[in-house]
Amino acid sequence: MILCKEERPVALVALVVFVLLNAMLIYNHYDSFTRGAHVGFWSVFYNHLGMSGYDVFSLIFISCMRLHWNALRHPLFVAVLLPLYWINHTIMPPTEFNFAVFLMAAVLVACDVWGVILLHRILRDIVGCTRKDTLWLIALFYGFAHIMITTMVPDHFALSLPLLLLTLLLTGRKLQEGKRFTYLQQALLFMLTAGITLTNGVKVALAAWFAAGKKVFSWRSIASFVVPTLLLALVVVWQQKAIIDPQEQGIKRIEAAIKKKDPGRVDKLKEHNDFVKQQNGQALAEKVPLLEWSDMTTSRWKTVVHNLFGESLQLHRDHLLEDVQQTRPVFVAYSHRFNYFVEGVVLMLLLAGAWVARRSKFFLVVVSWFGFDMLMHIGFGFGINEVYIMTAHWAFIIPIAIGYLLSRKPEVQARSLVAVTALWMWAYNAKIICGYLL
């Protein structure tokens, strides 16, 4: 990606910030994370790196090629990590030094900087923001608590974000030109986006529909989604046969040995599973695929106030960065009313911007994506008890909406409010994260 003159200082600042954030996380447990001999990688990473329930499975995979995430939901994630495993597996045995955290950090930083540039182009070229407004909106977005955390945790969200922003940027350009995606473009975007997070493939389909209208239902267009879906299915089958099945057989042998040696440990695992079940709420059907991931009992109102527009944007000091599957209650209240005031300000700016942008076809694409996420999380209840870790999938609607407000209503007295809110997000969230890691 070639950077224009205006983008170069933005990319440089972003690079420095994201390197520092990732360096802090590595520093947090440097001695244990870098051990490359006589060590169980599950205990090294899973038992030590606690960041709100984000998965550390990528580090385990890069260390020993054990796959612990759901291959169906993230079919191409293994393709990103395999080259890192090969590199690490070459240099770790002779050095007894595990480079997994450094290799993953390099991928994360690259994706983070790419995401900043893509958001910059969306705000400048599609929304029409001034350079100054664009910079403040980028600062606001990356100051959100679980966007900042996403840029450093070794999960798939940092990869999903730039792919979604790339799809939006290309969609905006197609709408400006009055053109539709080519079938190859649709197929590649769907393959990559759904490959990292399966449900995000729906967003590519929505973007293609807005750009092409009824033509998206032609047999060639449908084939551009069906073919990559079949390819992803083949990748999942390969992962199951080549990696997961042999791994599960080994795990069963280990569990049998543990049960024989320490029966009490099995009882503790059962207690934990019962706790997790309680935290996950009541599903529509516990043994039916897809429906088993639903949650019909967790309060939607409390979720929106405390988690969706709460923890996603501003961290709670109580139960700081705890995992809802371990020790964190589903709902945590802020200690100070000011945090709710800031939450209200962000929501007000979002709604005002959405009203101004309501006739923009591009913004309707963003709204359709946001609506899909809300239907999935707030309606269906998927991941509702930790909805804040999904922030990277939807929160870009906030700077985009505010961008329309600032660009379409130049006289509006919101610029100072945006700047102050962005500074607050960085001062508040960065201070807490630095304190937690350092």
Side-chain angles (χ1 to χ4, degrees):
M1 182 169 62
I2 300 175
L3 302 179
C4 67
K5 185 177 180 180
E6 181 181 313
E7 294 169 342
R8 290 168 194 164
V10 178
L12 180 60
V13 172
L15 178 64
V16 172
V17 170
F18 296 136
V19 165
L20 289 174
L21 288 174
N22 279 268
M24 280 195 302
L25 186 138
I26 294 172
Y27 171 82
N28 184 248
H29 287 289
Y30 177 83
D31 291 336
S32 59
F33 288 172
T34 55
R35 289 171 59 195
H38 312 296
V39 62
F41 294 110
W42 174 273
S43 59
V44 165
F45 294 114
Y46 189 82
N47 293 344
H48 290 92
L49 182 56
M51 295 283 283
S52 295
Y54 288 93
D55 292 332
V56 296
F57 299 150
S58 61
L59 298 180
I60 298 172
F61 186 91
I62 297 170
S63 301
C64 60
M65 209 174 84
R66 290 187 63 172
L67 195 158
H68 292 286
W69 63 87
N70 188 309
L72 178 62
R73 285 163 54 188
H74 312 290
L76 282 188
F77 196 31
V78 72
V80 176
L81 301 181
L82 261 178
L84 305 184
Y85 165 76
W86 292 330
I87 295 171
N88 197 40
H89 191 63
T90 301
I91 58 182
M92 184 168 61
T95 62
E96 295 190 354
F97 188 94
N98 190 356
F99 288 86
V101 286
F102 295 98
L103 293 169
M104 191 62 194
V107 173
L108 294 177
V109 170
C111 289
D112 297 337
V113 174
W114 185 30
V116 167
I117 297 304
L118 290 169
L119 182 58
H120 186 280
R121 291 182 181 181
I122 289 170
L123 293 171
R124 289 286 278 147
D125 302 341
I126 309 301
V127 179
C129 294
T130 64
R131 183 180 182 183
K132 187 175 180 181
D133 288 344
T134 297
L135 296 178
W136 278 117
L137 289 171
I138 291 173
L140 175 67
F141 178 67
Y142 283 93
F144 292 157
H146 281 267
I147 296 299
M148 195 180 298
I149 293 170
T150 290
T151 64
M152 68 177 92
V153 292
D155 209 331
H156 68 275
F157 295 102
L159 282 70
S160 287
L161 177 57
L163 288 171
L164 291 172
L165 292 175
L166 174 64
T167 304
L168 280 180
L169 177 63
L170 295 177
T171 303
R173 288 175 175 173
K174 293 295 181 183
L175 292 173
Q176 287 178 337
E177 297 167 358
K179 297 180 180 179
R180 50 168 296 168
F181 287 104
T182 66
Y183 301 128
L184 180 59
Q185 287 173 333
Q186 285 181 189
L188 288 175
L189 283 173
F190 182 84
M191 183 85 173
L192 293 172
T193 308
I196 297 300
T197 304
L198 189 64
T199 49
N200 283 339
V202 174
K203 297 176 182 179
V204 176
L206 286 169
W209 178 61
F210 272 94
K214 293 181 179 179
K215 292 181 180 179
V216 79
F217 298 109
S218 69
W219 70 270
R220 290 181 180 176
S221 183
I222 292 173
S224 69
F225 294 110
V226 172
V227 172
T229 300
L230 294 175
L231 292 175
L232 291 175
L234 290 175
V235 172
V236 172
V237 171
W238 172 80
Q239 291 179 55
Q240 187 69 39
K241 298 293 184 183
I243 302 175
I244 300 174
D245 287 347
Q247 176 180 300
E248 288 182 347
Q249 292 173 9
I251 290 174
K252 287 178 181 179
R253 288 194 295 268
I254 294 171
E255 288 177 344
I258 292 174
K259 187 175 182 180
K260 185 177 180 180
K261 185 177 180 180
D262 186 6
R265 189 172 175 182
V266 177
D267 294 334
K268 289 180 181 179
L269 289 173
K270 185 178 183 303
E271 289 178 8
H272 178 256
N273 289 337
D274 291 339
F275 170 77
V276 170
K277 185 177 179 180
Q278 180 183 344
Q279 293 287 80
N280 288 344
Q282 184 65 46
L284 276 171
E286 295 183 1
K287 296 183 179 181
V288 178
L290 297 181
L291 295 183
E292 64 183 346
W293 294 339
S294 63
D295 181 342
M296 296 295 104
T297 54
T298 297
S299 170
R300 269 51 179 174
W301 171 250
K302 288 184 178 180
T303 295
V304 171
V305 173
H306 296 298
N307 289 341
L308 183 69
F309 286 103
E311 175 74 6
S312 296
L313 310 184
Q314 301 174 92
L315 293 170
H316 289 86
R317 292 183 181 273
D318 296 329
H319 299 280
L320 176 61
L321 296 175
E322 291 181 12
D323 186 352
V324 75
Q325 307 287 0
Q326 300 291 340
T327 56
R328 186 190 193 275
V330 176
F331 303 116
V332 180
Y334 289 109
S335 303
H336 302 286
R337 292 182 180 179
F338 185 73
N339 293 102
Y340 293 107
F341 172 75
V342 174
E343 182 180 335
V345 168
V346 174
L347 187 58
M348 178 191 69
L349 289 170
L350 168 61
L351 294 175
W355 176 257
V356 171
R358 67 191 185 277
R359 291 189 175 89
S360 165
K361 198 170 184 180
F362 173 74
F363 187 69
L364 291 179
V365 176
V366 184
V367 170
S368 71
W369 287 17
F370 178 73
F372 171 72
D373 281 321
M374 294 306 102
L375 176 64
M376 186 168 58
H377 298 308
I378 305 303
F380 185 69
F382 172 73
I384 190 173
N385 58 352
E386 52 180 2
V387 68
Y388 40 83
I389 73 171
M390 319 288 181
T391 306
H393 287 167
W394 63 267
F396 41 75
I397 190 176
I398 298 174
I400 291 174
I402 299 174
Y404 276 101
L405 176 65
L406 300 182
S407 62
R408 301 296 189 272
K409 301 286 184 180
E411 73 282 357
V412 72
Q413 303 301 311
R415 285 181 172 80
S416 297
L417 195 58
V418 171
V420 170
T421 305
L423 291 172
W424 164 258
M425 291 295 178
W426 275 96
Y428 179 80
N429 291 319
K431 180 182 178 181
I432 292 175
I433 292 172
C434 289
Y436 180 83
L437 292 176
L438 300 179

